[in-house]
Amino acid sequence: MPFAALGLPDYLLRAVAALTYQEPTAIQAQAIPHVLAGRDVVGVAQTGTGKTAAYALPILLQLNAAARPASPQPLQVLTVAPTRELALQVAAAFRAYAQFSPRKVNTLAVIGGEDLEGQIRALRRGAQVIVGTPGRLLDLIERGELHLAQVQTLVLDEADKLLDLGFADELDKLLALLPPKRQNLLFSATFSPKVAALSERFLSDPVRASVEGELPVVEKIVQRVLQVDRDRRRMLLQHLLEEEGWKQVLVFVASKVAARNLAAKLDREGISAVGFHGDLEQEQRLEALRRFKNQQTRVLVATDVAARGIDIEQLSCVVNYDLPRSPREYIHRIGRTGRAGHKGLAVSFVDPDSEAHFALIEKRAAVSLAREQIPGFEPIVLPAAKTKGAPAVKGRRKSKKDKLRAAAAKALAQD
Ligand code: AMP
């Protein structure tokens, strides 16, 4: 079933397409129609089954469809989550799903342990959606900084965990402050007696959507982030082509010159490669594509603009040799792999200078990826020294002994 069949508007369809979701997961297909119909819903689904979109997408539709409320808009959606990590993740998901929405939807995570003053300042600027942990939410209410009087939708996410962590009293207090007329959505990995009692107390005639036992969404595209110094990227790419046996790779670079140079260098090393960029004649382009499709060329080194027209089924690997400029471009690039039901691999090279930029991409694409280092290619360039006038400091390249020592320490740590 396509997402469009769920009655979602174009701006949400664009967002899920941008995140490379191909079709709704079971919990989304079950819950979205009920949420849209305004019903209270109990969703029994594990994290990883796509439950966040099951409530966030229809909520965003409701926020956009409602008559324009006063300015600044009051808080309309309260999501309570048991942990800081989940709260941050859910807030990031709301933002990613709202990226094309006609109305600006301010989403804020309010979580314990983080800068209270900063959260108060953000609250004063106004948020329509808040995702918070119970203690911090109550703290802000007591300080008179958070008002729940206009909340229309309450989401209790991972309700079983909220209860297991002993938040029952906090939940009681919070729920007593909400307006009685509201929509309630409760999600839980299991429908334990405690969760059933909670639902009984606070929900009104809820529909149950259950995908208990459903496996997590298999990420179609495996995303890896490799830390490597800029001047060692080509060596690392060659190493990976060999070690990991990548048959065909689409490598993204930032400029025509880089596309030409990298392709030429790889070719010289005996790896068949072609630069694919805007300076090629139409004929040359078609020929390059034809050879890549026939697997006569192993590496296509492309710029974003040139790559736009490429449509190759079963492309198994994409490499961000240069990082894309925007999160949208990142999703676009990695979406070129993992097509037609095949698993894809997207590898990004980051160095100390591009780390902050990549962190921003992760935030906007609502992912958080582990950093990897490939033995022998560990970065050695230290971040540029901040002191005025001091030149960028280069670290010492590791000796073979250093590397062996590091590998031994790593092995020990893993034991
Ligand atoms: P969640 O259970 O909401 O934490 O989602 C788990 C993961 O599945 C997240 O990485 C989502 O971005 C992803 N996801 C959610 N819905 C879909 C979908 N329909 N197709 C593919 N991936 C999805």
Side-chain angles (χ1 to χ4, degrees):
M1 182 217 289
F3 269 104
L6 292 172
L8 296 175
D10 195 46
Y11 56 87
L12 293 176
L13 297 179
R14 274 180 70 197
V16 293
L19 290 163
T20 71
Y21 299 178
Q22 306 207 330
E23 55 179 18
T25 63
I27 188 68
Q28 290 160 6
Q30 283 190 38
I32 288 175
H34 295 306
V35 182
L36 285 178
R39 297 285 304 266
D40 279 10
V41 174
V42 171
V44 185
Q46 313 250 24
T47 286
T49 52
K51 67 174 169 53
T52 316
Y55 59 81
L57 291 172
I59 284 176
L60 286 167
L61 187 158
Q62 288 165 341
L63 285 177
N64 276 280
R68 191 170 275 283
S71 170
Q73 293 182 34
L75 171 64
Q76 291 158 75
V77 178
L78 177 68
T79 299
V80 186
T83 60
R84 303 162 33 150
E85 293 69 33
L86 183 67
L88 289 171
Q89 199 180 305
V90 169
F94 262 104
R95 291 187 196 111
Y97 299 143
Q99 62 185 309
F100 302 114
S101 87
R103 284 199 199 156
K104 191 164 162 40
V105 179
N106 280 337
T107 300
L108 187 65
V110 301
I111 50 177
E114 301 256 325
D115 165 34
L116 179 67
E117 291 300 316
Q119 287 175 22
I120 290 177
R121 277 196 302 276
L123 272 175
R124 289 182 184 166
R125 287 194 293 272
Q128 292 83 62
V129 178
I130 283 187
V131 190
T133 47
R136 179 57 62 94
L137 287 169
L138 284 171
D139 187 5
L140 287 164
I141 290 167
E142 276 157 22
R143 287 167 188 266
E145 298 290 348
L146 178 59
H147 308 280
L148 306 185
Q150 312 268 340
V151 169
Q152 292 164 4
T153 312
L154 168 74
V155 182
L156 296 178
D157 201 340
E158 295 196 358
D160 47 349
K161 201 157 175 188
L162 277 166
L163 296 173
D164 287 346
L165 291 176
F167 284 129
D169 290 348
E170 280 91 342
L171 283 181
D172 280 353
K173 279 191 203 153
L174 275 174
L175 292 165
L177 295 168
L178 289 167
K181 197 171 162 296
R182 58 169 198 259
Q183 186 174 20
N184 300 290
L185 310 171
L186 178 152
F187 285 79
S188 179
T190 56
F191 196 64
S192 63
K194 276 205 270 182
V195 173
L198 183 72
S199 146
E200 183 81 11
R201 280 218 318 281
F202 294 111
L203 274 62
S204 148
D205 186 25
V207 230
R208 193 150 140 196
S210 176
V211 296
E212 216 168 344
E214 181 93 359
L215 293 174
V217 183
V218 181
E219 302 284 347
K220 281 239 177 78
I221 303 170
V222 177
Q223 300 172 58
R224 292 173 62 188
V225 186
L226 308 187
Q227 294 178 315
V228 60
D229 289 334
R230 280 187 75 76
D231 59 358
R232 308 256 287 153
R233 289 174 301 170
R234 183 172 56 83
M235 294 305 289
L236 176 59
L237 178 61
Q238 283 176 221
H239 173 83
L240 292 168
L241 280 161
E242 192 167 318
E243 286 293 307
E244 308 216 352
W246 295 344
K247 288 205 186 70
Q248 274 208 307
V249 190
L250 176 59
V251 175
F252 282 98
V253 290
S255 68
K256 294 173 195 172
V257 177
R260 218 176 292 137
N261 287 350
L262 179 60
K265 281 183 185 154
L266 290 172
D267 221 41
R268 235 175 282 141
E269 298 290 332
I271 298 165
S272 58
V274 172
F276 195 70
H277 50 77
D279 281 353
L280 298 187
E281 301 287 334
Q282 180 68 0
E283 264 311 298
Q284 291 172 305
R285 236 184 241 238
L286 291 175
E287 175 63 10
L289 267 187
R290 197 184 55 75
R291 291 178 66 86
F292 191 59
K293 280 189 182 174
N294 293 343
Q295 314 208 347
Q296 288 164 285
T297 303
R298 192 165 168 206
V299 182
L300 199 66
V301 188
T303 59
D304 287 299
V305 178
R308 255 178 219 143
I310 303 177
D311 183 24
I312 298 166
E313 298 266 317
Q314 298 191 29
L315 187 59
S316 58
C317 182
V318 164
V319 173
N320 292 315
Y321 192 91
D322 287 321
L323 288 181
R325 285 200 205 152
S326 68
R328 198 172 306 169
E329 204 70 70
Y330 176 78
I331 302 275
H332 240 96
R333 284 184 182 184
I334 72 168
R336 306 209 150 269
T337 174
R339 294 203 171 178
H342 293 268
K343 210 167 169 125
L345 172 66
V347 175
S348 299
F349 291 169
V350 295
D351 62 28
D353 289 337
S354 59
E355 180 56 49
H357 177 59
F358 193 76
L360 194 71
I361 291 178
E362 284 181 288
K363 198 168 155 196
R364 295 276 297 282
V367 290
S368 170
L369 304 168
R371 305 293 188 260
E372 275 180 70
Q373 294 187 357
I374 301 295
F377 295 90
E378 297 90 346
I380 51 155
V381 177
L382 303 172
K386 287 264 155 49
T387 35
K388 231 180 166 180
V393 186
K394 268 210 169 190
R396 185 168 63 88
R397 210 172 269 274
K398 277 188 181 161
S399 70
K400 211 164 189 177
K401 226 182 203 167
D402 284 342
K403 279 183 204 154
L404 287 173
R405 235 180 265 135
K410 202 168 163 193
L412 273 181
Q414 279 167 352
D415 276 346

